[in-house]
Each structure stands twice: as structure tokens, then as C-alpha cells.
Amino acid sequence: MFITGIQPYNFHSTSRQNVKPPSFEGIKTIDLNYVLKNRAYLLPERVRDKASEIVKLNLSEMPSLKQVHKEVYAPLLVCKTLNDAERLFPEFAGMKETALVFQRNRGNIKKLNTDGHLHGNLSLKLLQDVWVNLKTQDEIAEELGLKGRSALGWVLKKINFVSYSSNYRTLLMSSDPETRAVIASKTTAWNACHPDLMYKKNRHAAQFCKTPEYRKAHSERMIEYDKLHPERKEKIRNFNLDVWKKVPEIKSAMSEFAKLQNAFTKSVISKDISGEHLTSFEKRIKKSFYKKFWQANPDLKKRFKDAHRQVRDERAALKNGKTPDKKV
């Protein structure tokens, strides 16, 4: 079974200094509908399935993602051993018992032995604290008497600990109104105290979005999202059809422009229009064609953008029960 949203513990922990807490600013409600439509790829498979079941019930009041997550993994709290946990949750298979991994009694391991943690199902306790109690690494490290999250990270790596991504944790905590309010206040305070670091971080993020690695990862996320939401392609297709209906003159100009291209480019454009699958090379040819067309016709490009915006506004008006403005 393929489990999404689950990953072996990433022991390359980043220093918390100068790191801006993630946020969902501008989003009024992070309910299950929003989560499934916009962040489904972050969710563990069990949580995603449970959330989908709840949404289908069309309840007047739905639980938060955080509540759903805790309900799904609550059975971990009644497990007595790591084997019990693995039988209930196969995604945790492969983890190791700390007592079997750490044979030499020194350093942090000596501290864990002194407190009785090492021989007290520590691996299971860590699963319970991370997956059900949603404790942070700093909280767990302090409770275990370790020097910090880096020391805990070393332990987690050694036992093949299975965790979830930091983005999923942010989504979990932001889905809870009270927790989200705390995150928002901390984010605002951090931004106000570190404007220079915020500027550098935003510049770095903008440059990162241009890298081949980011574009590839984004493409993979969208492919996974499309698998979960096949209706998305149809929605985009209908939207584009409505846009093109408003600008028949651009369609005619593009058709004339295509006639001036070489035979291969013509075949690629023809395949794209008919909805056939394009290879990565053909996609580059398609992109080049449209880029040349818009560069040669900047006035048509502006007209197309206006039509796109008009269709978007009309759909928003209909969604809100208003009569759309028919003016071009």
C-alpha cells in the first residue's frame, strides 16, 4: 500500500534561528474542504481517506484536520509494544526498538538508561508523542533529558523513525482556530522584528522557485493532486473554452501564425489542441510557439488577459449568487 505524507525521519535538522514560522495568511478557514482541495498531497493516506468520508457526510459542523488526525492515530495510545503499533499501522514497519539499537551505554544513551526510557518502549513512546500528542522535537528532547533536538534527531535516525513533513505539521496546527491564532501572532511579531531577514528570505524563495528541482517537484505534486482530483482538468478545460469564446479574433490570428511554422511545430500544436499527450520535448516546442506568438502580438496578449480576468470574475459572481457583468 502506498502511503503518502509519511517519510523516514529527516535528521538534517535546520537551526531555528532566523527561520520564519510558516503561515496560511489570507485564508479565512482551513477546513477539511480547503485541505482536500488544496493540500491533499500533504496528508497521510489514512487521514486523507477519513477526511474524505467526513466531507461526503456534508455535516453542518466538521471537525478540524487536527481533530481528524488525532482520532485516526489515537489507537497508538493503547498499544503496549512497537509490534502492536506496526500491526495496526503498517506504515511504521521497519522501525527498531531502541534497546536493540543502542548497546553501548554512554552519552545520551547513558542518560536515557538512567531515566529508564531506553528499556521502556521508547520507540513506541516517540510514535505516540509525535503522531498523537503532536509534541515538538524540542518538547520531547526536554522531557527525555537530552541536550536538544539535534540529540533527539540522532536517536530518531538510528531507529528509522517514521515521521510526517514539517508542512503537514504546519497544516495540522493551522487547522485548529486557537493554535492558528497563536501561530499568526508569532508570525506577525517575527516579521516586525526581522524585516531585513524577511526580505532576504523572500528573495531566496523567489529564486528557488525558478530552479529545475523546484519545478520538477511542483510538477510531481500537481500530478499527484490530479490523480486525487480528476475533475480539476475538466474544470480548467471548461474555463479555457469560455475564455477563447470571448476572443475569436485571437484564435484566428494564432491559426494564421501557426501556418508560418515548420511542419513539426504544426504537428505539436495540432496534438495539443486535440488533447493528445505531449512528450517533454514537444511541450518545449509548444511553449516556444506561444512565446513567439505573444511577443509578436502584445496587444492580443493584453486582450487575452482581459478575457481571462473577465471569465474569472463572472464565475466568482455566479458562485456568490450575483449577476455577472457582461461588459468586456
Side-chain angles (χ1 to χ4, degrees):
M1 178 172 60
F2 178 65
I3 306 293
T4 58
I6 308 284
Q7 58 184 33
Y9 176 72
N10 181 4
F11 58 94
H12 296 291
S13 57
T14 304
S15 170
R16 300 183 71 180
Q17 183 179 5
N18 298 341
V19 177
K20 173 182 175 295
S23 68
F24 289 86
E25 296 178 26
I27 302 173
K28 294 182 179 180
T29 305
I30 304 179
D31 59 13
L32 294 183
N33 280 304
Y34 170 83
V35 169
L36 291 175
K37 289 179 180 178
N38 300 278
R39 297 291 188 272
Y41 59 88
L42 290 176
L43 275 56
E45 185 176 357
R46 294 178 186 275
V47 177
R48 188 175 67 233
D49 291 345
K50 184 64 176 179
S52 297
E53 290 176 8
I54 294 173
V55 167
K56 288 177 182 178
L57 295 176
N58 198 26
L59 303 173
S60 58
E61 185 174 347
M62 290 189 294
S64 68
L65 176 65
K66 182 180 177 182
Q67 291 172 317
V68 174
H69 173 94
K70 296 191 76 168
E71 179 184 343
V72 168
Y73 287 100
L76 279 174
L77 296 178
V78 298
C79 292
K80 301 299 183 182
T81 66
L82 181 60
N83 286 336
D84 290 343
E86 291 179 348
R87 278 194 292 270
L88 285 176
F89 302 94
E91 56 264 40
F92 298 137
M95 283 184 56
K96 302 175 181 179
E97 291 281 10
T98 49
L100 298 178
V101 174
F102 303 113
Q103 301 292 331
R104 306 182 69 175
N105 191 31
R106 65 182 185 181
N108 287 319
I109 304 308
K110 185 176 181 179
K111 174 64 177 175
L112 292 176
N113 268 325
T114 301
D115 292 347
H117 291 299
L118 194 57
H119 298 289
N121 293 325
L122 178 58
S123 295
L124 174 62
K125 181 182 183 302
L126 290 170
L127 274 179
Q128 294 168 336
D129 281 348
V130 171
W131 283 90
V132 188
N133 300 324
L134 301 179
K135 294 182 180 179
T136 65
Q137 293 178 42
D138 291 311
E139 290 171 337
I140 296 173
E142 183 177 357
E143 289 177 3
L144 293 177
L146 299 176
K147 293 181 180 179
R149 65 203 312 249
S150 60
L152 175 64
W154 181 77
V155 173
L156 297 177
K157 177 192 172 185
K158 290 293 185 180
I159 65 173
N160 294 336
F161 188 79
V162 178
S163 188
Y164 43 74
S165 70
S166 59
N167 286 337
Y168 177 60
R169 177 178 174 80
T170 300
L171 184 62
L172 273 178
M173 308 313 286
S174 298
S175 70
D176 181 74
E178 293 183 6
T179 308
R180 188 181 180 196
V182 174
I183 294 175
S185 64
K186 288 183 178 180
T187 300
T188 301
W190 194 96
N191 291 347
C193 294
H194 304 85
D196 53 334
L197 295 176
M198 276 299 299
Y199 175 74
K200 291 180 180 179
K201 183 177 180 64
N202 290 339
R203 286 194 62 184
H204 175 74
Q207 291 301 315
F208 177 71
C209 290
K210 298 177 182 179
T211 63
E213 293 80 10
Y214 176 87
R215 289 196 293 268
K216 180 181 179 181
H218 178 70
S219 176
E220 291 174 350
R221 288 196 298 270
M222 291 310 299
I223 290 173
E224 180 64 22
Y225 183 86
D226 286 341
K227 290 179 181 177
L228 299 174
H229 301 276
E231 71 280 1
R232 176 176 174 271
K233 286 187 176 181
E234 184 64 20
K235 184 177 180 181
I236 293 174
R237 177 178 176 277
N238 291 334
F239 183 93
N240 289 332
L241 286 175
D242 287 346
V243 172
W244 283 109
K245 286 177 182 178
K246 293 183 177 295
V247 286
E249 71 279 11
I250 298 180
K251 184 181 292 187
S252 298
M254 193 170 286
S255 178
E256 292 300 318
F257 187 79
K259 292 177 182 179
L260 303 176
Q261 309 306 308
N262 59 50
F264 182 71
T265 299
K266 291 178 182 177
S267 66
V268 169
I269 300 303
S270 178
K271 283 181 64 176
D272 181 54
I273 293 174
S274 62
E276 295 181 47
H277 174 74
L278 300 181
T279 65
S280 56
F281 177 69
E282 289 172 334
K283 288 178 181 178
R284 290 195 294 271
I285 295 297
K286 168 192 166 182
K287 182 178 180 180
S288 176
F289 167 79
Y290 286 113
K291 181 178 180 180
K292 291 178 182 177
F293 175 78
W294 294 125
Q295 287 177 340
N297 301 277
D299 54 328
L300 295 182
K301 183 177 182 179
K302 181 180 181 304
R303 177 74 182 87
F304 188 78
K305 285 184 176 180
D306 290 341
H308 191 281
R309 183 167 52 252
Q310 185 182 4
V311 172
R312 182 195 63 203
D313 293 344
E314 288 175 357
R315 292 192 168 206
L318 288 172
K319 185 177 181 179
N320 295 326
K322 300 177 181 180
T323 302
D325 186 359
K326 296 297 183 181
K327 294 182 179 180
V328 177

